């Protein structure tokens, strides 16, 4: 039962769900780096674009401006530990690929690396840089999406139950998996 009284939680960055993106970049020396970003998502269909919002303090911020490119590797539930670690330490002082024993792969399309062991990859060319305040929004035009065949459904689409993406809850700072299938989009609403 939903009551008519809602409690104000204040002006917060609090929406559900937020994704867990692992943003891949090269630094000036060509060292591959990855950082975790929950402030991001699809932002245009044509041209296909995704956005990530990063603080200037991150190493990744400068890398994207210099290389004009980034990748997004989508971690599965089985990589939650590595995904969290990528958000705990900076590539300024740590080689995160070396410490996690994950493998950087050079994108053939953009000047950025992605994580070989992650099943879903988005390769982006920097299209827009928007200063918002604490965060800078980087809009990347998607050059390609790559997926392991093991997470594809018959007919070539992705099977989200095989990708097993993480969901981040900003208020409790907790990771979840996806839940049950609840309806087909652009279809279930037709029943009204
Ligand atoms: C779940 C999670 C989500 C995060 N989301 C963001 C984000 O959207 N933007 C951001 O600037 N930092 C975010 N961070 C923090 C960065 O990942 C962290 O500062 C990281 O050390 C930056 O790495 P870098 O210095 O190698 O670029 C997040 C961290 C975690 C654990």
């Amino acid at each position: 039962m939903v009551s008519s009284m809602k409690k104000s939680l204040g002006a917060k960055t609090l929406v559900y769900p937020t994704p867990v993106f692992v943003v891949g970049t090269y630094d000036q020396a060509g060292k591959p780096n990855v950082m975790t970003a929950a402030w991001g998502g699809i932002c245009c269909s044509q041209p296909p674009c995704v956005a990530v919002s990063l603080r200037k303090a991150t190493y990744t911020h400068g890398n994207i401006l210099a290389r004009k490119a980034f990748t997004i590797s989508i971690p599965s539930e089985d990589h939650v530990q590595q995904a969290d670690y990528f958000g705990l330490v900076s590539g300024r002082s740590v080689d995160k690929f070396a410490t996690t024993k994950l493998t950087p792969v050079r994108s053939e399309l953009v000047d950025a690396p992605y994580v070989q062991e992650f099943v879903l990859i988005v390769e982006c060319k920097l299209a827009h840089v928007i200063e918002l305040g604490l965060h800078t929004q980087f809009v990347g035009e998607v050059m390609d999406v790559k997926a392991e065949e093991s997470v594809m459904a018959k007919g070539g689409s992705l099977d989200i139950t095989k990708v097993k993406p993480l969901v981040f809850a900003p208020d409790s700072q907790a990771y979840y998996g996806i839940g049950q299938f609840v309806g087909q989009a652009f279809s279930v609403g037709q029943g009204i």
Side-chain angles (χ1 to χ4, degrees), residues 1-175:
M1 187 66 120
V2 177
S3 83
S4 59
M5 289 296 289
K6 298 210 189 319
K7 186 172 157 38
S8 170
L9 301 178
K12 288 184 177 171
T13 49
L14 183 42
V15 294
Y16 285 153
T18 68
V20 177
F21 288 164
V22 167
V23 182
T25 56
Y26 285 119
D27 73 3
Q28 278 193 326
K31 184 183 85 173
N33 187 45
V34 265
M35 76 161 266
T36 305
W39 288 183
I42 292 168
C43 60
C44 186
S45 302
Q46 199 52 253
C49 291
V50 292
V52 289
S53 286
L54 310 183
R55 285 161 299 117
K56 288 178 190 66
T58 64
Y59 198 40
T60 303
H61 188 286
N63 290 354
I64 294 177
L65 286 177
R67 300 279 179 153
K68 307 272 184 269
F70 61 91
T71 64
I72 294 171
S73 300
I74 308 280
S76 295
E77 287 174 27
D78 18 309
H79 285 116
V80 65
Q81 192 178 20
Q82 290 90 342
D84 193 53
Y85 173 80
F86 291 156
L88 285 170
V89 298
S90 178
R92 247 185 226 102
S93 45
V94 178
D95 182 337
K96 298 187 217 181
F97 278 103
T99 46
T100 55
K101 298 189 170 60
L102 291 174
T103 317
V105 178
R106 174 176 286 281
S107 164
E108 289 175 3
L109 300 174
V110 302
D111 190 9
Y114 59 83
V115 183
Q116 180 175 295
E117 289 81 359
F118 289 11
V119 293
L120 182 58
I121 310 297
V122 183
E123 296 161 287
C124 298
K125 184 180 76 179
L126 184 62
H128 302 280
V129 179
I130 302 153
E131 296 297 343
L132 297 173
L134 181 61
H135 287 71
T136 304
Q137 186 181 45
F138 294 107
V139 176
E141 183 177 341
V142 177
M143 296 290 105
D144 193 27
V145 178
K146 293 179 165 58
E148 287 290 329
E149 281 191 67
S150 60
V151 299
M152 311 271 289
K154 288 191 198 85
S157 60
L158 285 171
D159 183 339
I160 192 169
T161 65
K162 292 179 177 164
V163 175
K164 292 192 288 175
L166 295 166
V167 174
F168 180 65
D171 52 344
S172 56
Q173 303 202 324
Y175 300 105

